Amino acid sequence: MRLYLLRTGTIRAIEAPVPAYLLVDGDGATLVDTGYPIDLGADPDGFVTVSPAENLLTQLERLDVRPADVHRVICTHLDPDHAGNHDRFPDAEFVVQRRHLDAARAGDVDRIELIRDRWDAPGLRYRLVDGDVELSPCLRLLATDGHVPGHQSVLVRLPNTGAVLLAGDAVPMAGCADAERRPITPFDVDGPAVRRSTARLAAIAAETGALVVYGHDAAQWATLRTFPNCYD
């Protein structure tokens, strides 16, 4: 199994990455999130910009992965910078927390509505899960509510690297890693739940010795083994 960290855009205000993650093993390719919409990222005055080098499909092509090769997309959540290219993978199964998809379809989080045509495109197949789920011995979903209802993080176990914890927006940067002291951002819908999820991920990281990859941390990103390199 190989894990690629892909940068699919840049949050302009903080120059932080908008990541997606590609897992490749003997069973094929799995994406964790699909990043910011490729076709909306050219506006230099936008919240997120997408340079040619950050185009998700171009990066996948360089790894010899076509959209049809992606058999599964794990959705941490459906915010515009995490689900913006779901419609590019019509053959994939999308794995999402039931609570989150229900909230999204009910319109409970306004910003998710902005790209409803991408994550709710006709024909997309969703697999609904509840709470923690082990998709395989190497891949575990972790319920981490707070940023949005039904947010989930992903724990990956690699043969050589060991455990890697993809925190998503449950812990967006190193400055948010302390559950008690972390700031609660305007994008977090439930502050107490955010703190509980932060504490939970810290405990899991300590127990497993995992490398924690934060959701949008410019300083950490510069230290990581990012595309075209990988963790294995």
Short mmCIF file of all heavy atoms in Angstrom, two decimals, residues 88-124:
data_model
loop_
_atom_site.label_atom_id
_atom_site.label_comp_id
_atom_site.label_asym_id
_atom_site.label_seq_id
_atom_site.Cartn_x
_atom_site.Cartn_y
_atom_site.Cartn_z
N ARG A 88 -16.41 13.94 -10.69
CA ARG A 88 -15.41 13.44 -11.64
C ARG A 88 -15.16 11.94 -11.49
O ARG A 88 -14.41 11.37 -12.28
CB ARG A 88 -14.08 14.19 -11.42
CG ARG A 88 -14.19 15.71 -11.38
CD ARG A 88 -14.14 16.30 -12.75
NE ARG A 88 -14.17 17.76 -12.70
CZ ARG A 88 -13.72 18.54 -13.67
NH1 ARG A 88 -13.18 18.01 -14.75
NH2 ARG A 88 -13.79 19.85 -13.54
N PHE A 89 -15.78 11.33 -10.48
CA PHE A 89 -15.54 9.91 -10.20
C PHE A 89 -16.86 9.14 -10.16
O PHE A 89 -17.24 8.59 -9.13
CB PHE A 89 -14.76 9.76 -8.89
CG PHE A 89 -13.44 10.49 -8.91
CD1 PHE A 89 -13.35 11.79 -8.40
CD2 PHE A 89 -12.31 9.91 -9.46
CE1 PHE A 89 -12.14 12.48 -8.44
CE2 PHE A 89 -11.11 10.59 -9.51
CZ PHE A 89 -11.02 11.87 -9.00
N PRO A 90 -17.56 9.08 -11.29
CA PRO A 90 -18.91 8.49 -11.29
C PRO A 90 -18.92 6.99 -11.04
O PRO A 90 -19.97 6.42 -10.72
CB PRO A 90 -19.42 8.81 -12.70
CG PRO A 90 -18.19 8.96 -13.53
CD PRO A 90 -17.17 9.58 -12.62
N ASP A 91 -17.78 6.31 -11.18
CA ASP A 91 -17.74 4.87 -10.99
C ASP A 91 -17.38 4.47 -9.56
O ASP A 91 -17.38 3.27 -9.23
CB ASP A 91 -16.72 4.23 -11.95
CG ASP A 91 -17.06 4.48 -13.40
OD1 ASP A 91 -18.27 4.41 -13.74
OD2 ASP A 91 -16.15 4.76 -14.21
N ALA A 92 -17.06 5.44 -8.72
CA ALA A 92 -16.59 5.14 -7.36
C ALA A 92 -17.77 4.94 -6.41
O ALA A 92 -18.89 5.43 -6.63
CB ALA A 92 -15.69 6.26 -6.86
N GLU A 93 -17.48 4.24 -5.32
CA GLU A 93 -18.38 4.20 -4.17
C GLU A 93 -17.91 5.24 -3.17
O GLU A 93 -16.73 5.26 -2.81
CB GLU A 93 -18.36 2.80 -3.53
CG GLU A 93 -19.19 2.70 -2.25
CD GLU A 93 -19.03 1.36 -1.58
OE1 GLU A 93 -17.93 1.09 -1.03
OE2 GLU A 93 -19.99 0.57 -1.62
N PHE A 94 -18.80 6.09 -2.71
CA PHE A 94 -18.47 7.16 -1.78
C PHE A 94 -18.87 6.73 -0.37
O PHE A 94 -20.03 6.41 -0.13
CB PHE A 94 -19.18 8.46 -2.17
CG PHE A 94 -18.68 9.04 -3.47
CD1 PHE A 94 -19.13 8.56 -4.68
CD2 PHE A 94 -17.73 10.06 -3.46
CE1 PHE A 94 -18.66 9.07 -5.88
CE2 PHE A 94 -17.26 10.58 -4.66
CZ PHE A 94 -17.72 10.08 -5.87
N VAL A 95 -17.90 6.74 0.54
CA VAL A 95 -18.13 6.26 1.90
C VAL A 95 -18.23 7.48 2.82
O VAL A 95 -17.27 8.26 2.95
CB VAL A 95 -17.00 5.33 2.36
CG1 VAL A 95 -17.32 4.77 3.74
CG2 VAL A 95 -16.79 4.20 1.35
N VAL A 96 -19.35 7.64 3.47
CA VAL A 96 -19.61 8.84 4.26
C VAL A 96 -20.41 8.44 5.50
O VAL A 96 -21.15 7.44 5.49
CB VAL A 96 -20.38 9.88 3.41
CG1 VAL A 96 -21.77 9.40 3.07
CG2 VAL A 96 -20.43 11.24 4.09
N GLN A 97 -20.26 9.20 6.56
CA GLN A 97 -21.08 8.97 7.74
C GLN A 97 -22.55 9.30 7.42
O GLN A 97 -22.85 10.34 6.82
CB GLN A 97 -20.60 9.85 8.90
CG GLN A 97 -19.24 9.46 9.46
CD GLN A 97 -19.29 8.19 10.29
OE1 GLN A 97 -20.26 7.94 11.01
NE2 GLN A 97 -18.24 7.38 10.19
N ARG A 98 -23.42 8.40 7.81
CA ARG A 98 -24.85 8.59 7.54
C ARG A 98 -25.33 9.94 8.09
O ARG A 98 -26.08 10.68 7.43
CB ARG A 98 -25.65 7.46 8.20
CG ARG A 98 -27.14 7.52 7.93
CD ARG A 98 -27.88 6.46 8.77
NE ARG A 98 -27.26 5.17 8.67
CZ ARG A 98 -27.53 4.28 7.68
NH1 ARG A 98 -28.42 4.58 6.76
NH2 ARG A 98 -26.92 3.11 7.67
N ARG A 99 -24.89 10.27 9.29
CA ARG A 99 -25.32 11.52 9.94
C ARG A 99 -24.92 12.73 9.11
O ARG A 99 -25.65 13.71 9.03
CB ARG A 99 -24.71 11.59 11.34
CG ARG A 99 -25.09 12.83 12.13
CD ARG A 99 -24.72 12.67 13.61
NE ARG A 99 -25.11 13.86 14.34
CZ ARG A 99 -24.24 14.71 14.88
NH1 ARG A 99 -22.94 14.48 14.79
NH2 ARG A 99 -24.67 15.76 15.53
N HIS A 100 -23.75 12.64 8.49
CA HIS A 100 -23.29 13.78 7.70
C HIS A 100 -24.09 13.93 6.41
O HIS A 100 -24.50 15.05 6.06
CB HIS A 100 -21.80 13.64 7.38
CG HIS A 100 -21.26 14.84 6.67
ND1 HIS A 100 -21.31 16.11 7.19
CD2 HIS A 100 -20.70 14.98 5.43
CE1 HIS A 100 -20.79 16.98 6.33
NE2 HIS A 100 -20.43 16.31 5.25
N LEU A 101 -24.29 12.84 5.70
CA LEU A 101 -25.04 12.95 4.45
C LEU A 101 -26.48 13.40 4.71
O LEU A 101 -27.03 14.20 3.95
CB LEU A 101 -25.02 11.63 3.69
CG LEU A 101 -25.60 11.69 2.27
CD1 LEU A 101 -24.79 12.66 1.39
CD2 LEU A 101 -25.62 10.32 1.62
N ASP A 102 -27.07 12.91 5.80
CA ASP A 102 -28.42 13.36 6.14
C ASP A 102 -28.44 14.87 6.39
O ASP A 102 -29.34 15.58 5.91
CB ASP A 102 -28.91 12.63 7.39
CG ASP A 102 -29.30 11.18 7.13
OD1 ASP A 102 -29.36 10.79 5.95
OD2 ASP A 102 -29.50 10.45 8.11
N ALA A 103 -27.44 15.38 7.13
CA ALA A 103 -27.38 16.82 7.40
C ALA A 103 -27.14 17.61 6.13
O ALA A 103 -27.73 18.68 5.93
CB ALA A 103 -26.27 17.11 8.42
N ALA A 104 -26.28 17.09 5.25
CA ALA A 104 -25.99 17.79 4.00
C ALA A 104 -27.24 17.87 3.12
O ALA A 104 -27.57 18.93 2.58
CB ALA A 104 -24.86 17.08 3.27
N ARG A 105 -27.92 16.76 2.99
CA ARG A 105 -29.11 16.74 2.13
C ARG A 105 -30.25 17.57 2.71
O ARG A 105 -31.09 18.09 1.97
CB ARG A 105 -29.55 15.30 1.88
CG ARG A 105 -28.62 14.58 0.91
CD ARG A 105 -29.02 13.15 0.64
NE ARG A 105 -28.27 12.61 -0.49
CZ ARG A 105 -28.15 11.31 -0.77
NH1 ARG A 105 -28.75 10.42 0.02
NH2 ARG A 105 -27.47 10.91 -1.82
N ALA A 106 -30.25 17.74 4.03
CA ALA A 106 -31.26 18.57 4.67
C ALA A 106 -30.91 20.06 4.59
O ALA A 106 -31.74 20.91 4.96
CB ALA A 106 -31.42 18.16 6.13
N GLY A 107 -29.70 20.39 4.11
CA GLY A 107 -29.29 21.78 4.01
C GLY A 107 -28.90 22.38 5.34
O GLY A 107 -28.97 23.61 5.52
N ASP A 108 -28.46 21.55 6.29
CA ASP A 108 -28.18 22.05 7.64
C ASP A 108 -26.90 22.88 7.72
O ASP A 108 -26.73 23.65 8.68
CB ASP A 108 -28.05 20.87 8.62
CG ASP A 108 -29.38 20.17 8.86
OD1 ASP A 108 -30.42 20.73 8.45
OD2 ASP A 108 -29.37 19.07 9.44
N VAL A 109 -25.99 22.73 6.76
CA VAL A 109 -24.74 23.50 6.74
C VAL A 109 -24.70 24.27 5.42
O VAL A 109 -24.51 23.68 4.35
CB VAL A 109 -23.50 22.58 6.89
CG1 VAL A 109 -22.23 23.42 6.93
CG2 VAL A 109 -23.62 21.71 8.13
N ASP A 110 -24.87 25.58 5.51
CA ASP A 110 -25.07 26.39 4.30
C ASP A 110 -23.95 26.23 3.28
O ASP A 110 -24.20 26.13 2.08
CB ASP A 110 -25.19 27.88 4.67
CG ASP A 110 -26.51 28.20 5.38
OD1 ASP A 110 -27.42 27.35 5.33
OD2 ASP A 110 -26.60 29.28 5.97
N ARG A 111 -22.69 26.20 3.75
CA ARG A 111 -21.59 26.21 2.78
C ARG A 111 -21.53 24.91 1.96
O ARG A 111 -21.03 24.91 0.84
CB ARG A 111 -20.26 26.43 3.50
CG ARG A 111 -19.88 25.35 4.51
CD ARG A 111 -18.59 25.71 5.23
NE ARG A 111 -18.11 24.67 6.12
CZ ARG A 111 -18.34 24.61 7.43
NH1 ARG A 111 -19.08 25.57 7.99
NH2 ARG A 111 -17.85 23.63 8.16
N ILE A 112 -22.05 23.83 2.50
CA ILE A 112 -22.07 22.57 1.75
C ILE A 112 -23.01 22.67 0.55
O ILE A 112 -22.78 22.05 -0.49
CB ILE A 112 -22.45 21.41 2.69
CG1 ILE A 112 -21.34 21.18 3.72
CG2 ILE A 112 -22.71 20.13 1.91
CD1 ILE A 112 -21.65 20.10 4.74
N GLU A 113 -24.04 23.50 0.68
CA GLU A 113 -24.98 23.69 -0.42
C GLU A 113 -24.32 24.31 -1.65
O GLU A 113 -24.80 24.14 -2.77
CB GLU A 113 -26.13 24.59 0.04
CG GLU A 113 -27.14 23.90 0.94
CD GLU A 113 -27.98 22.90 0.19
OE1 GLU A 113 -28.69 23.29 -0.76
OE2 GLU A 113 -27.92 21.71 0.53
N LEU A 114 -23.22 25.04 -1.45
CA LEU A 114 -22.57 25.75 -2.56
C LEU A 114 -22.12 24.82 -3.67
O LEU A 114 -22.05 25.22 -4.83
CB LEU A 114 -21.37 26.54 -2.04
CG LEU A 114 -21.68 27.67 -1.04
CD1 LEU A 114 -20.39 28.27 -0.50
CD2 LEU A 114 -22.53 28.74 -1.71
N ILE A 115 -21.79 23.57 -3.32
CA ILE A 115 -21.34 22.63 -4.35
C ILE A 115 -22.21 21.38 -4.37
O ILE A 115 -21.75 20.28 -4.66
CB ILE A 115 -19.85 22.25 -4.18
CG1 ILE A 115 -19.61 21.63 -2.79
CG2 ILE A 115 -18.95 23.43 -4.43
CD1 ILE A 115 -18.37 20.77 -2.75
N ARG A 116 -23.46 21.55 -4.06
CA ARG A 116 -24.36 20.39 -4.05
C ARG A 116 -24.36 19.66 -5.38
O ARG A 116 -24.49 18.42 -5.43
CB ARG A 116 -25.78 20.82 -3.69
CG ARG A 116 -26.68 19.63 -3.44
CD ARG A 116 -28.08 20.02 -3.00
NE ARG A 116 -28.80 18.84 -2.54
CZ ARG A 116 -29.34 18.71 -1.35
NH1 ARG A 116 -29.24 19.68 -0.47
NH2 ARG A 116 -29.96 17.60 -1.02
N ASP A 117 -24.19 20.37 -6.47
CA ASP A 117 -24.18 19.71 -7.78
C ASP A 117 -22.99 18.79 -7.95
O ASP A 117 -23.01 17.89 -8.81
CB ASP A 117 -24.18 20.75 -8.90
CG ASP A 117 -23.00 21.69 -8.86
OD1 ASP A 117 -22.53 22.03 -7.75
OD2 ASP A 117 -22.52 22.09 -9.93
N ARG A 118 -21.94 18.94 -7.11
CA ARG A 118 -20.75 18.08 -7.22
C ARG A 118 -20.92 16.81 -6.38
O ARG A 118 -20.61 15.71 -6.85
CB ARG A 118 -19.48 18.82 -6.76
CG ARG A 118 -19.31 20.22 -7.34
CD ARG A 118 -19.36 20.22 -8.86
NE ARG A 118 -19.40 21.55 -9.40
CZ ARG A 118 -18.33 22.18 -9.91
NH1 ARG A 118 -17.15 21.60 -9.90
NH2 ARG A 118 -18.46 23.39 -10.41
N TRP A 119 -21.40 16.94 -5.13
CA TRP A 119 -21.49 15.75 -4.27
C TRP A 119 -22.84 15.05 -4.37
O TRP A 119 -22.99 13.90 -3.95
CB TRP A 119 -21.18 16.09 -2.81
CG TRP A 119 -22.03 17.15 -2.16
CD1 TRP A 119 -21.71 18.47 -2.01
CD2 TRP A 119 -23.33 16.98 -1.57
NE1 TRP A 119 -22.73 19.13 -1.36
CE2 TRP A 119 -23.73 18.23 -1.07
CE3 TRP A 119 -24.18 15.88 -1.40
CZ2 TRP A 119 -24.95 18.44 -0.45
CZ3 TRP A 119 -25.40 16.07 -0.77
CH2 TRP A 119 -25.77 17.35 -0.30
N ASP A 120 -23.83 15.73 -4.94
CA ASP A 120 -25.16 15.12 -5.09
C ASP A 120 -25.52 14.93 -6.55
O ASP A 120 -26.70 14.93 -6.93
CB ASP A 120 -26.21 15.99 -4.39
CG ASP A 120 -27.42 15.19 -3.92
OD1 ASP A 120 -27.32 13.95 -3.86
OD2 ASP A 120 -28.46 15.80 -3.61
N ALA A 121 -24.49 14.76 -7.38
CA ALA A 121 -24.70 14.57 -8.81
C ALA A 121 -25.48 13.27 -9.05
O ALA A 121 -25.28 12.28 -8.34
CB ALA A 121 -23.37 14.52 -9.54
N PRO A 122 -26.35 13.26 -10.05
CA PRO A 122 -27.13 12.04 -10.33
C PRO A 122 -26.21 10.84 -10.57
O PRO A 122 -25.20 10.94 -11.27
CB PRO A 122 -27.90 12.41 -11.60
CG PRO A 122 -27.98 13.91 -11.58
CD PRO A 122 -26.70 14.37 -10.95
N GLY A 123 -26.58 9.72 -9.97
CA GLY A 123 -25.85 8.49 -10.21
C GLY A 123 -24.74 8.18 -9.24
O GLY A 123 -24.23 7.05 -9.21
N LEU A 124 -24.31 9.15 -8.42
CA LEU A 124 -23.25 8.86 -7.45
C LEU A 124 -23.77 7.88 -6.40
O LEU A 124 -24.88 8.01 -5.89
CB LEU A 124 -22.76 10.14 -6.76
CG LEU A 124 -22.03 11.16 -7.64
CD1 LEU A 124 -21.44 12.27 -6.77
CD2 LEU A 124 -20.94 10.52 -8.48
#
